[in-house]
Amino acid sequence: MVHADGFTGFNGLFGDGKAREQACMVHVRRKFVDIYESEGSGIAEAAIKRIAMLYGVEKEARYKSAEERVALRQEKAKPVFDDLEAWLQLQLPKISVKSALAAAIRYALSRMPRARAYLENGKLELDNNICERSIRPVTLGRKNYLFMGSKGGGDAAAVAYTLIETCRMNKVDPAAWLCWVLARVADHKMTRLDELMPWNWTAE
């Protein structure tokens, strides 16, 4: 299962025999917020309030075990999620098919079936904000990365950033882990590289 927004570049990751997608409700909400701020649409406002109810459940579920999160989501979030999806389907025929609001509703209805998995899996989130926050330094510095020198340099940097963020997500000191790996990798078998991953590192 992979958290992702609707970026088409990710489409190749998903399908039969590949990863499953957990869609991001923040991206769904954002389209309604933009419309409400520019047009004052009552339908957009109602959609925002319904999505806020889902996040209210997530606030309650924070720091609970995966099993507890599933139970809470099934009890409180699933009815809201189901109602939102059905309500959006009812709104669509009432508005111009060419309007920005109709496009936002169609986007939401296309993403919600892929967002539903979080209701049954306590390890999943309602959005991919954790990932987006972790790559923010890369995004903010993208102009600096134009000076990597070559595509190979850019690829190497991407690998390095991925490893560093993996360390941070596993509460591992990236510098200490890297020193540990460099001291062992030359004599380590290629078939056992998993043993050198951050989650297998222990401070010495």
Side-chain angles (χ1 to χ4, degrees), residues 52-68:
M53 292 171 66
L54 294 175
Y55 278 95
V57 177
E58 289 308 289
K59 186 175 181 180
E60 188 176 347
R62 193 173 300 152
Y63 307 124
K64 294 185 182 297
S65 69
E67 293 75 15
E68 291 174 313

Side-chain angles (χ1 to χ4, degrees), residues 156-167:
V159 170
Y161 288 129
T162 300
L163 291 172
I164 290 169
E165 287 304 321
T166 300
C167 285

Side-chain angles (χ1 to χ4, degrees), residues 77-178:
K78 188 176 184 300
V80 177
F81 195 100
D82 292 343
D83 177 70
L84 172 60
E85 195 168 28
W87 178 81
L88 287 172
Q89 290 170 342
L90 291 175
Q91 305 313 305
L92 196 54
K94 300 178 183 179
I95 58 179
S96 169
V97 296
K98 296 183 179 180
S99 67
L101 179 58
I105 292 176
R106 286 193 295 269
Y107 176 81
L109 291 173
S110 72
R111 304 300 294 158
M112 289 184 71
R114 303 176 193 182
R116 184 175 286 276
Y118 94 103
L119 294 168
E120 299 178 354
N121 187 334
K123 295 180 180 180
L124 298 177
E125 302 292 339
L126 186 55
D127 56 49
N128 63 345
N129 279 355
I130 294 174
C131 174
E132 293 204 356
R133 282 194 295 271
S134 71
I135 65 172
R136 187 176 299 276
V138 177
T139 303
L140 293 176
R142 63 164 57 111
K143 287 186 178 179
N144 294 331
Y145 309 140
L146 294 175
F147 301 97
M148 288 293 184
S150 66
K151 181 180 182 301
D155 290 343
V159 170
Y161 288 129
T162 300
L163 291 172
I164 290 169
E165 287 304 321
T166 300
C167 285
R168 289 173 176 168
M169 290 178 69
N170 284 274
K171 296 181 173 57
V172 169
D173 178 357
W177 171 79
L178 185 58

